[in-house]
Amino acid sequence: MWGLSDEHRILLVMTLSRIRWGVLAVLVLVNAVILYGVLRPNTQPLRISILDVGQGDSILIQSPTGVNVLVDGGPDRSVVRELPKRMGPLDRTIDLMVETHPDKDHIAGLADVLEMYEVKNFMNPGVPNDTNVFARLVADVEKEPGVSVYTALRGQRIHLGDGAYADVLYPDHDVSRLRATNDASIVLQVVYGETSFMLTGDMPSTIEDKLVASVSPESLKSDVLKAGHHGSKYSTNDGWLRAVAPSTVVISAGKGNTYGHPAPEVLARVQKFGARLLSTIDSGTIIFESDGHGIRQK
């Protein structure tokens, strides 16, 4: 090192040494971050959002691995205003769309979702309806490229990733000839680790009794129950509450609806049972998150 004194040479060597060690430290840190990103456990929770769509049903399931499942689409376009709030504006994929049954207050918004999102799979109970809303939905699903269509039947399991899944508990037979569409409602139990959610569409008490009689008690128990038929007095009976044993019951209904939902009888049953009661009428969209061990309301 020409022209440098011994003192300057020592300082320069020390400076270069510090730079080398600094670069090495940065590389070690970067590698550690990359390794952590690869090996760390998935900490994203299972999220279930009971969307505020007025007098109707629409539920968004977001799995720990990013799978999006939309159960029903509400009575109008409200669902396409709610989805970006929960999925983000850039996420435009619905991995599975579920029509629990073909009533307008559950399916009217699904055609709009098909227009605005890429839908990969579609599940329905296989029961028809003679309304224009249902005819539009059927036509839109048929013309949508790449959509796989499935008829729901007990025993089917929808794998959501990271061990989370949704089991079809009902229908348990061919319901295509049923005239009462509520009797064909798809019932899904979403399970993640030690936590579970029961989603019931417009299932009436006659089907609740059938499930209680035909499904093992342990298989029905769920932490959160989405009450059938918006809190109608013809759903969520005492036997069903005892079998499911929820700590929280959620009612999806519209403020000032003409049906009187939720019915006083249902509110009394839930209060008597001792479960916490939530409603989209009072709370708007209701969001639950599960880490597989416990559930918290966000």
Side-chain angles (χ1 to χ4, degrees):
M1 299 178 184
W2 300 102
L4 292 178
S5 66
D6 290 343
E7 181 181 353
H8 285 157
R9 280 197 295 271
I10 292 171
L11 287 175
L12 180 58
V13 170
M14 290 177 64
T15 301
L16 291 174
S17 179
R18 291 194 190 100
I19 292 173
R20 291 193 196 99
W21 281 109
V23 170
L24 181 60
V26 169
L27 290 174
V28 169
L29 180 60
V30 168
N31 285 330
V33 170
I34 293 172
L35 186 62
Y36 176 74
V38 172
L39 298 180
R40 72 183 176 88
N42 193 332
T43 57
Q44 181 176 330
L46 170 74
R47 180 177 297 167
I48 295 186
S49 302
I50 317 295
L51 301 178
D52 182 13
V53 292
Q55 182 59 24
D57 262 24
S58 188
I59 301 166
L60 177 65
I61 303 168
Q62 295 168 285
S63 86
T65 56
V67 175
N68 295 321
V69 178
L70 181 65
V71 181
D72 288 333
D76 50 35
R77 288 180 55 86
S78 296
V79 62
V80 294
R81 293 193 294 270
E82 287 296 315
L83 285 178
K85 301 176 187 176
R86 312 304 160 197
M87 295 173 58
L90 300 180
D91 190 351
R92 313 299 290 182
T93 301
I94 303 293
D95 297 283
L96 173 64
M97 175 185 283
V98 179
E99 168 215 317
T100 61
H101 64 298
D103 288 3
K104 179 183 176 181
D105 57 335
H106 289 250
I107 67 168
L110 293 181
D112 297 299
V113 175
L114 281 163
E115 289 182 3
M116 299 179 65
Y117 290 80
E118 178 191 357
V119 176
K120 296 183 178 180
N121 300 281
F122 181 80
M123 175 180 281
N124 65 15
V127 64
N129 203 346
D130 58 0
T131 63
N132 291 334
V133 173
F134 180 68
R136 179 195 173 193
L137 176 60
V138 170
D140 285 354
V141 169
E142 288 178 348
K143 72 181 183 184
E144 195 70 21
V147 177
S148 298
V149 179
Y150 302 92
T151 301
L153 191 65
R154 182 189 293 174
Q156 294 169 338
R157 173 164 290 184
I158 303 159
H159 293 279
L160 302 174
D162 197 34
Y165 59 87
D167 279 344
V168 177
L169 301 185
Y170 192 83
D172 61 354
H173 65 290
D174 180 2
V175 295
S176 59
R177 295 177 184 244
L178 287 180
R179 300 185 65 182
T181 53
N182 287 350
D183 289 358
S185 285
I186 294 175
V187 178
L188 292 175
Q189 185 185 45
V190 182
V191 178
Y192 184 39
E194 302 166 5
T195 65
S196 51
F197 303 78
M198 186 72 75
L199 310 179
T200 61
D202 275 0
M203 179 176 64
S205 288
T206 51
I207 307 301
E208 291 174 350
D209 292 341
K210 184 175 182 180
L211 281 174
V212 171
S214 62
V215 178
S216 66
E218 285 303 314
S219 297
L220 291 177
K221 292 190 183 303
S222 303
D223 300 291
V224 177
L225 166 65
K226 200 288 298 181
H229 203 181
H230 322 289
S232 161
K233 66 180 179 180
Y234 301 111
S235 297
T236 319
N237 65 23
D238 289 330
W240 180 242
L241 283 170
R242 285 193 299 270
V244 178
S247 56
T248 302
V249 175
V250 181
I251 293 173
S252 179
K255 186 174 183 179
N257 68 82
T258 58
Y259 304 99
H261 296 157
E265 295 94 327
V266 171
L267 300 180
R269 288 174 205 152
V270 174
Q271 183 179 24
K272 177 184 175 183
F273 182 75
R276 181 174 63 139
L277 181 66
L278 298 173
S279 170
T280 57
I281 294 174
D282 302 316
S283 304
T285 292
I286 299 167
I287 303 172
F288 298 100
E289 289 187 343
S290 167
D291 62 1
H293 302 287
I295 297 171
R296 73 181 183 98
Q297 185 184 346
K298 188 177 177 184

